[in-house]
Amino acid sequence: MSLPLSILDLSPVPAGGTPGDALRNSIDLARAAEAAGYHRYWVAEHHLVTGVASSSTPVLVALIAAATERIRVGSGAVQLPHTRPVQVAEQFGTVAAVHPGRIDVGLGRFDLHRILRLIRNGPTGRPGGRPPETRTVDGLLLPKPGKVPSDLGLYGCLAELLGFDPDQEPPDYGREVGEILAYFAGTARGPRDEPLHVTPAEGADVDVVVLGSTPGESARVAGQYGLPFAASYHLVPHLVLDAVAAYREAFRPGRVAEPRVIVSADVVVAETDERARELAAPYGQWVLDIRTGLGARPYVTPAEARAREWTPEERAGVADRVDTQFVGAPDTVCERLATLARVTGADELLVTTITTDHADRVRSHELLAEAWAGWRTGG
């Protein structure tokens, strides 16, 4: 194997801890990741939840870049249209000016306009047919998607705080990505076709990546602009192959000459399979909270997770995520990651890990990096 490993961090707030604890833990983990040889360290954007502190990705990227020396640092992803393209370019261009050659701008897409319309009008139109059944492709599990009743109120609140209007169409995502690229390239034009110089974004040494979980707009835009594409197996596992295929079909040479695919996975590694399963026990509750609309909350303990009584509907609603979490001793997880990379044709893997205790999360990444180095060299 020769694939680099990277990390996606959500800055989880520890039970009984503070957001400051979570952010300091992220900086500590980034330093450990750099020492272990990880390629990138990305932070995710989440809002209005008690269990995640990574709400301001450019600020956290700057803090982590200042605390490390070599590892690439970026967003996974900054969400459009939450932040306007000129702001994205200015924010990450500022960090890149101080840390050239180390900053990534990961771009996501979240349609809060549609959510506001759903809250106001309810679902409209015909259902999109039966969901796909669970299948396995060349050893990779593509599970039937889970579904639970969801309250959209949290997302509606965010949309209103950001000033979104349900009667307006959302900005064109492809145009927004193109604006960001133009600001970095120094080719942007204003409303009267005058040249715009967005300092310090212009000429910034950054990597721009589009993140997506379906074969829709994000995959198409990434391909058309010739950008790397990060496909989310850990969020929507049943669509990962479709998303990658759509990206490759749409690809035209641009910032990269050939398609470059990054694939994410949820991972928990410990010295033994049994210990890893114990650390991963709270994961189902974490996913259920997010899917029902409560949002990410502080991770419970393994003992609390085992004591929880589940309904069959709840179990089925999170089974796709639980069954595709890679949990085990280092060799167990490396074998599953190697399968993921082979079947998706990934050029890079992006792992995300949450445990109750920060020390277990650091150790999980250290064990994985050490074992993966052996797999890369054929050991």
Side-chain angles (χ1 to χ4, degrees):
M1 302 289 275
S2 59
L3 298 187
L5 279 184
S6 297
I7 291 175
L8 174 63
D9 177 23
L10 277 65
S11 290
V13 178
T18 67
D21 294 328
L23 297 171
R24 284 185 287 271
N25 286 344
S26 287
I27 293 171
D28 179 69
L29 179 59
R31 288 171 172 151
E34 182 171 76
Y38 283 89
H39 181 52
R40 308 178 196 268
Y41 194 95
W42 284 358
V43 293
E45 179 183 328
H46 289 260
H47 299 281
L48 306 183
V49 294
T50 59
V52 171
S54 58
S55 56
S56 180
T57 53
V59 174
L60 187 51
V61 166
L63 292 170
I64 292 172
T68 54
E69 297 178 357
R70 300 176 306 279
I71 194 169
R72 297 194 67 90
V73 186
S75 55
V78 59
Q79 299 290 352
L80 301 175
H82 297 185
T83 308
R84 305 305 302 142
V86 69
Q87 293 173 303
V88 173
E90 288 175 337
Q91 290 165 353
F92 286 89
T94 298
V95 184
V98 180
H99 305 283
R102 294 183 54 209
I103 303 304
D104 297 336
V105 185
L107 300 174
R109 175 176 175 265
F110 198 73
D111 190 352
L112 287 172
H113 296 82
R114 181 182 64 86
I115 288 176
L116 281 175
R117 289 194 292 270
L118 284 173
I119 293 172
R120 185 180 64 180
N121 304 324
T124 58
R126 296 181 179 180
R130 294 181 59 185
E133 294 298 322
T134 296
R135 60 194 177 109
T136 301
V137 175
D138 201 11
L140 180 66
L141 176 64
L142 301 176
K144 179 179 179 178
K147 186 174 179 59
V148 295
S150 180
D151 182 353
L152 298 175
L154 190 67
Y155 301 112
C157 179
L158 176 61
E160 291 183 17
L161 290 173
L162 294 174
F164 285 21
D165 183 347
D167 293 321
Q168 293 180 345
E169 287 299 315
D172 181 85
Y173 182 64
R175 189 186 70 246
E176 290 190 313
V177 172
E179 288 178 21
I180 292 170
L181 295 176
Y183 295 141
F184 284 128
T187 59
R189 311 292 295 187
R192 290 167 294 280
D193 200 36
E194 72 276 21
L196 293 181
H197 301 286
V198 179
T199 305
E202 189 170 317
D205 186 2
V206 298
D207 279 358
V208 180
V209 183
V210 171
L211 286 78
S213 55
T214 74
E217 187 75 357
S218 295
R220 181 186 63 79
V221 168
Q224 289 182 347
Y225 280 110
L227 297 170
F229 179 63
S232 182
Y233 181 71
H234 84 281
L235 285 179
V236 189
H238 74 285
L239 288 178
V240 66
L241 296 184
D242 296 327
V244 170
Y247 164 66
R248 293 186 184 279
E249 182 178 357
F251 185 84
R252 303 293 183 270
R255 275 205 160 209
V256 293
E258 298 178 346
R260 180 168 180 82
V261 174
I262 304 170
V263 179
S264 65
D266 257 307
V267 167
V268 176
V269 182
E271 285 78 3
T272 66
D273 289 346
E274 182 180 6
R275 174 61 176 162
R277 286 193 293 268
E278 179 183 7
L279 296 178
Y283 182 67
Q285 179 67 59
W286 166 274
V287 174
L288 184 66
D289 289 344
I290 295 172
R291 284 190 166 173
T292 56
L294 292 173
R297 298 194 288 184
Y299 222 55
V300 301
T301 66
E304 290 171 327
R306 288 193 298 270
R308 188 192 191 283
E309 295 185 4
W310 287 74
T311 67
E313 292 77 16
E314 288 174 336
R315 288 284 187 194
V318 300
D320 60 325
R321 294 281 299 275
V322 172
D323 292 345
T324 54
Q325 188 184 34
F326 296 174
V327 178
D331 283 350
T332 301
V333 173
C334 282
E335 183 173 0
R336 294 188 68 184
L337 286 174
T339 298
L340 177 66
R342 173 174 50 79
V343 178
T344 61
D347 301 290
E348 183 178 335
L349 294 176
L350 182 71
V351 299
T352 181
T353 300
I354 301 179
T355 58
T356 305
D357 294 327
H358 174 63
D360 292 322
R361 196 161 72 111
V362 173
R363 186 60 178 151
S364 175
H365 286 99
E366 290 174 339
L367 288 169
L368 178 59
E370 181 180 358
W372 189 251
W375 281 71
R376 289 173 61 185
T377 57

